[in-house]
mmCIF file of all heavy atoms in Angstrom:
data_model
loop_
_atom_site.group_PDB
_atom_site.id
_atom_site.type_symbol
_atom_site.label_atom_id
_atom_site.label_comp_id
_atom_site.label_asym_id
_atom_site.label_seq_id
_atom_site.Cartn_x
_atom_site.Cartn_y
_atom_site.Cartn_z
ATOM 1 N N ALA A 275 -32.023 6.186 -16.871
ATOM 2 C CA ALA A 275 -33.282 5.524 -17.278
ATOM 3 C C ALA A 275 -34.239 5.398 -16.092
ATOM 4 O O ALA A 275 -35.437 5.663 -16.238
ATOM 5 C CB ALA A 275 -32.991 4.150 -17.880
ATOM 6 N N LEU A 276 -33.723 5.038 -14.931
ATOM 7 C CA LEU A 276 -34.565 4.931 -13.731
ATOM 8 C C LEU A 276 -35.123 6.303 -13.346
ATOM 9 O O LEU A 276 -36.274 6.404 -12.916
ATOM 10 C CB LEU A 276 -33.752 4.351 -12.578
ATOM 11 C CG LEU A 276 -33.370 2.874 -12.673
ATOM 12 C CD1 LEU A 276 -32.333 2.515 -11.624
ATOM 13 C CD2 LEU A 276 -34.609 2.001 -12.547
ATOM 14 N N THR A 277 -34.327 7.338 -13.504
ATOM 15 C CA THR A 277 -34.763 8.690 -13.138
ATOM 16 C C THR A 277 -35.838 9.191 -14.101
ATOM 17 O O THR A 277 -36.818 9.809 -13.678
ATOM 18 C CB THR A 277 -33.577 9.658 -13.117
ATOM 19 O OG1 THR A 277 -32.584 9.130 -12.225
ATOM 20 C CG2 THR A 277 -33.992 11.039 -12.661
ATOM 21 N N ILE A 278 -35.685 8.910 -15.371
ATOM 22 C CA ILE A 278 -36.693 9.312 -16.351
ATOM 23 C C ILE A 278 -38.005 8.609 -16.059
ATOM 24 O O ILE A 278 -39.078 9.227 -16.078
ATOM 25 C CB ILE A 278 -36.199 9.087 -17.789
ATOM 26 C CG1 ILE A 278 -35.081 10.073 -18.105
ATOM 27 C CG2 ILE A 278 -37.346 9.192 -18.785
ATOM 28 C CD1 ILE A 278 -34.360 9.804 -19.397
ATOM 29 N N ALA A 279 -37.951 7.333 -15.752
ATOM 30 C CA ALA A 279 -39.169 6.589 -15.417
ATOM 31 C C ALA A 279 -39.817 7.159 -14.161
ATOM 32 O O ALA A 279 -41.046 7.336 -14.101
ATOM 33 C CB ALA A 279 -38.838 5.104 -15.219
ATOM 34 N N ALA A 280 -39.020 7.483 -13.160
ATOM 35 C CA ALA A 280 -39.564 8.055 -11.925
ATOM 36 C C ALA A 280 -40.170 9.432 -12.195
ATOM 37 O O ALA A 280 -41.234 9.767 -11.668
ATOM 38 C CB ALA A 280 -38.471 8.141 -10.860
ATOM 39 N N SER A 281 -39.503 10.229 -13.014
ATOM 40 C CA SER A 281 -40.000 11.566 -13.345
ATOM 41 C C SER A 281 -41.335 11.483 -14.085
ATOM 42 O O SER A 281 -42.243 12.297 -13.828
ATOM 43 C CB SER A 281 -38.984 12.317 -14.198
ATOM 44 O OG SER A 281 -37.780 12.480 -13.497
ATOM 45 N N GLU A 282 -41.457 10.534 -14.992
ATOM 46 C CA GLU A 282 -42.732 10.355 -15.696
ATOM 47 C C GLU A 282 -43.833 9.992 -14.727
ATOM 48 O O GLU A 282 -44.954 10.515 -14.832
ATOM 49 C CB GLU A 282 -42.572 9.272 -16.780
ATOM 50 C CG GLU A 282 -41.744 9.731 -17.956
ATOM 51 C CD GLU A 282 -41.423 8.627 -18.957
ATOM 52 O OE1 GLU A 282 -41.777 7.451 -18.695
ATOM 53 O OE2 GLU A 282 -40.807 8.938 -19.980
ATOM 54 N N ARG A 283 -43.529 9.139 -13.755
ATOM 55 C CA ARG A 283 -44.525 8.764 -12.756
ATOM 56 C C ARG A 283 -44.902 9.961 -11.916
ATOM 57 O O ARG A 283 -46.075 10.170 -11.599
ATOM 58 C CB ARG A 283 -43.983 7.632 -11.855
ATOM 59 C CG ARG A 283 -45.042 7.045 -10.948
ATOM 60 C CD ARG A 283 -44.456 6.188 -9.845
ATOM 61 N NE ARG A 283 -43.578 6.900 -8.953
ATOM 62 C CZ ARG A 283 -43.952 7.821 -8.052
ATOM 63 N NH1 ARG A 283 -45.213 8.178 -7.959
ATOM 64 N NH2 ARG A 283 -43.082 8.404 -7.261
ATOM 65 N N VAL A 284 -43.927 10.793 -11.553
ATOM 66 C CA VAL A 284 -44.180 11.986 -10.730
ATOM 67 C C VAL A 284 -44.911 13.055 -11.539
ATOM 68 O O VAL A 284 -45.670 13.842 -10.972
ATOM 69 C CB VAL A 284 -42.840 12.520 -10.153
ATOM 70 C CG1 VAL A 284 -43.020 13.852 -9.449
ATOM 71 C CG2 VAL A 284 -42.238 11.498 -9.184
ATOM 72 N N GLY A 285 -44.680 13.086 -12.849
ATOM 73 C CA GLY A 285 -45.440 14.004 -13.692
ATOM 74 C C GLY A 285 -44.693 15.175 -14.279
ATOM 75 O O GLY A 285 -45.250 16.252 -14.440
ATOM 76 N N PHE A 286 -43.421 14.991 -14.641
ATOM 77 C CA PHE A 286 -42.695 16.078 -15.295
ATOM 78 C C PHE A 286 -41.647 15.506 -16.242
ATOM 79 O O PHE A 286 -41.291 14.339 -16.160
ATOM 80 C CB PHE A 286 -42.048 17.023 -14.280
ATOM 81 C CG PHE A 286 -40.866 16.471 -13.540
ATOM 82 C CD1 PHE A 286 -39.574 16.814 -13.900
ATOM 83 C CD2 PHE A 286 -41.036 15.614 -12.467
ATOM 84 C CE1 PHE A 286 -38.481 16.309 -13.207
ATOM 85 C CE2 PHE A 286 -39.956 15.121 -11.760
ATOM 86 C CZ PHE A 286 -38.668 15.467 -12.137
#
Side-chain angles (χ1 to χ4, degrees):
L276 290 167
T277 305
I278 290 170
S281 299
E282 288 173 355
R283 189 194 61 70
V284 172
F286 72 101

